């Protein structure tokens, strides 16, 4: 009974958080939703609280440290394109698969919706660098990409799909690396990308986007926080509220522990949704039926990491409907998870 009471108390706390977020003016922007890291939490856990759940870590945890763009110049050279620093600690580089024309359940998938390879680098107080990423590969590329990653000492921590009934067949592989030389990690990623037909340059970096044919205000109201237009889609992002570690390393908010909901306009307010929930084990059996009751399709349930604490499960989802109706169907399931809005 005590365990059930804790779960229900946690659910009520998350609902109070999201209800409070809905009252915040959308005009305040994403930076005003969550405030400084750790100021809005559920379960009584802040970003500086001891890690809860999962298998635990017995040693001293290592903190991430800030880094500016110039600190990542060798990584940019090795990857062959510039990235961007997010939230002062994360160095992010995208590699959209604009070479692929993928159709899922009659929808031609935008690269920004579900075909974006990406890497994230984080520096730590011990002088090391952590690499996490996700590579989108065609089925005939998967094995040679895997070989290139292994040759350069990078791990694959997941191999799965994000889409249903897709043509051609496309796979997603999560990658992980850790070392003292971030450029060497980046060269391993580049070697894997070179085994694919990923374009050498990102055309979306110079393309100007027009207004989205979506009721973005309605989506924002449904979630209670504002999203953002990125590459012709609308994104609403949430990060786990508790501290999440990768082994001995504390992950900055927004690295490896995100619930993301991406809306691709289909005309007349309709959208294709591709996204995922980041959950701990006790949340999984509540979230899945709540999504199905709202008409959301389930695609894949799996781990992204090997040594995360708490242990996270990721659920990839799909829907085609009025965009606001989709967001309204996602909201009750989101309330069952321990998340805060993520500054994009």
């Amino acid at each position: 009974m005590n365990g059930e009471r804790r779960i229900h108390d946690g659910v009520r706390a998350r609902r109070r958080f999201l209800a409070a977020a809905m009252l915040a003016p959308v005009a305040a922007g994403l930076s005003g939703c969550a405030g400084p890291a750790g100021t809005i939490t559920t379960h009584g856990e802040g970003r500086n609280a001891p890690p809860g759940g999962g298998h635990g870590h017995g040693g001293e945890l290592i903190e991430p440290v800030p880094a500016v763009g110039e600190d990542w110049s060798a990584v940019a050279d090795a990857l062959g394109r510039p990235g961007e620093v997010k939230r002062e600690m994360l160095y992010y580089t995208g590699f959209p698969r604009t070479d692929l024309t993928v159709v899922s359940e009659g929808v031609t998938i935008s690269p920004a919706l579900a075909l974006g390879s990406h890497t994230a680098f984080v520096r730590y107080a011990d002088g090391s660098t952590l690499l996490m990423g996700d590579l989108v590969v065609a089925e005939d590329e998967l094995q040679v990409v895997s070989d290139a990653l292994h040759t350069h000492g990078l791990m694959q921590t997941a191999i799965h799909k994000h889409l249903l009934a897709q043509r051609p067949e496309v796979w997603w592989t999560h990658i992980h690396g850790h070392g003292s030389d971030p450029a060497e990690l980046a060269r391993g990623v580049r070697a894997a990308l070179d085994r694919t037909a990923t374009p050498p340059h990102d055309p979306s970096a110079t393309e100007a986007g027009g207004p989205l044919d979506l009721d973005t205000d309605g989506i924002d109201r449904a979630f209670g926080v504002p999203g953002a237009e990125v590459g012709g889609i609308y994104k609403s992002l949430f990060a786990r509220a508790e501290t999440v570690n990768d082994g001995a390393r504390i992950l900055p908010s927004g690295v490896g522990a995100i619930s993301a909901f991406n809306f691709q306009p289909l005309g007349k307010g309709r959208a294709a949704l591709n996204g995922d929930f980041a959950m701990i084990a006790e949340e999984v059996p509540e979230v899945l039926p709540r999504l199905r009751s709202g008409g959301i399709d389930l695609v894949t349930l799996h781990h992204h990491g090997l040594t995360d604490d708490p242990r996270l499960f990721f659920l990839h989802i799909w829907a085609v409907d009025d965009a606001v109706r989709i967001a309204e169907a996602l909201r009750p399931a989101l309330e069952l998870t321990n998340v805060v809005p993520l500054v994009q």
Side-chain angles (χ1 to χ4, degrees):
M1 291 297 293
N2 289 338
E4 292 180 1
R5 187 176 298 111
R6 282 195 297 271
I7 292 173
H8 292 307
D9 288 346
V11 169
R12 285 195 294 270
R14 292 191 287 275
R15 286 173 176 165
R16 285 196 297 271
F17 154 68
L18 287 169
M22 179 171 280
L23 297 176
V26 169
L30 277 168
S31 61
C33 297
T39 58
I40 298 179
T41 59
T42 59
H43 283 312
E45 294 177 301
R47 293 295 303 172
N48 296 320
H55 52 272
H57 186 274
E60 183 177 350
L61 297 176
I62 304 171
E63 295 274 358
V65 296
V68 298
E70 292 78 5
D71 296 328
W72 300 108
S73 59
V75 170
D77 290 343
L79 292 176
R81 68 177 63 181
E84 60 177 317
V85 176
K86 295 188 175 185
R87 296 176 289 280
E88 298 183 347
M89 290 186 181
L90 164 66
Y91 184 69
Y92 176 92
T93 308
F95 303 85
R97 291 300 302 262
T98 53
D99 59 300
L100 295 173
T101 300
V102 177
V103 178
S104 177
E105 298 195 333
V107 176
T108 300
I109 303 300
S110 164
L113 179 70
L115 301 176
S117 297
H118 63 269
T119 59
F121 291 79
V122 180
R123 288 189 170 182
Y124 282 85
D126 63 353
S128 67
T129 296
L130 178 69
L131 158 70
M132 288 184 173
D134 197 7
L135 304 185
V136 181
V137 296
E139 187 158 295
D140 61 0
E141 299 169 341
L142 178 58
Q143 306 311 321
V144 294
V145 165
S146 300
D147 293 343
L149 291 168
H150 303 161
T151 297
H152 287 81
L154 300 181
M155 292 187 294
Q156 291 173 285
T157 58
I159 301 173
H160 58 275
K161 294 186 176 181
H162 289 194
L163 298 169
L164 298 168
Q166 56 191 302
R167 291 293 182 272
E169 298 290 341
V170 179
W171 293 82
W172 285 255
T173 180
H174 288 260
I175 61 174
H176 184 284
H178 175 253
S180 59
D181 185 354
E184 183 63 25
L185 297 173
R187 283 190 285 272
V189 175
R190 185 68 258 173
L193 289 170
D194 286 344
R195 269 64 171 185
T196 74
T198 302
H201 303 289
D202 181 3
S204 65
T206 57
E207 291 177 356
L212 296 181
D213 184 14
L214 290 175
D215 181 1
T216 56
D217 289 341
I219 295 172
D220 293 345
R221 285 192 299 271
F223 283 126
V225 295
E229 186 275 330
V230 179
I233 66 169
Y234 198 68
K235 301 174 71 74
S236 299
L237 302 180
F238 299 83
R240 293 296 303 184
E242 67 269 57
T243 298
V244 178
N245 310 323
D246 181 76
R249 287 164 178 80
I250 298 173
L251 295 178
S253 181
V255 177
I258 295 176
S259 293
F261 309 110
N262 303 324
F263 296 83
Q264 177 181 323
L266 300 179
K268 298 182 178 179
R270 289 171 57 81
L273 164 81
N274 188 250
D276 58 326
F277 276 79
M279 302 171 287
I280 58 174
E282 70 182 43
E283 296 167 347
V284 173
E286 296 189 46
V287 169
L288 271 63
R290 188 63 61 91
L291 288 169
R292 287 301 301 136
S293 69
I296 306 298
D297 290 344
L298 313 179
V299 180
T300 309
L301 176 67
H302 62 120
H303 297 295
H304 284 182
L306 301 178
T307 59
D308 48 348
D309 179 23
R311 197 79 167 103
L312 296 178
F313 295 79
F314 290 82
L315 173 69
H316 296 282
I317 56 176
W318 171 264
V320 176
D321 202 341
D322 176 82
V324 176
R325 190 176 301 120
I326 292 173
E328 290 171 344
L330 293 172
R331 173 71 180 268
L334 187 65
E335 290 176 346
L336 297 173
T337 66
N338 188 21
V339 296
V340 294
L342 177 65
V343 178
Q344 301 191 49

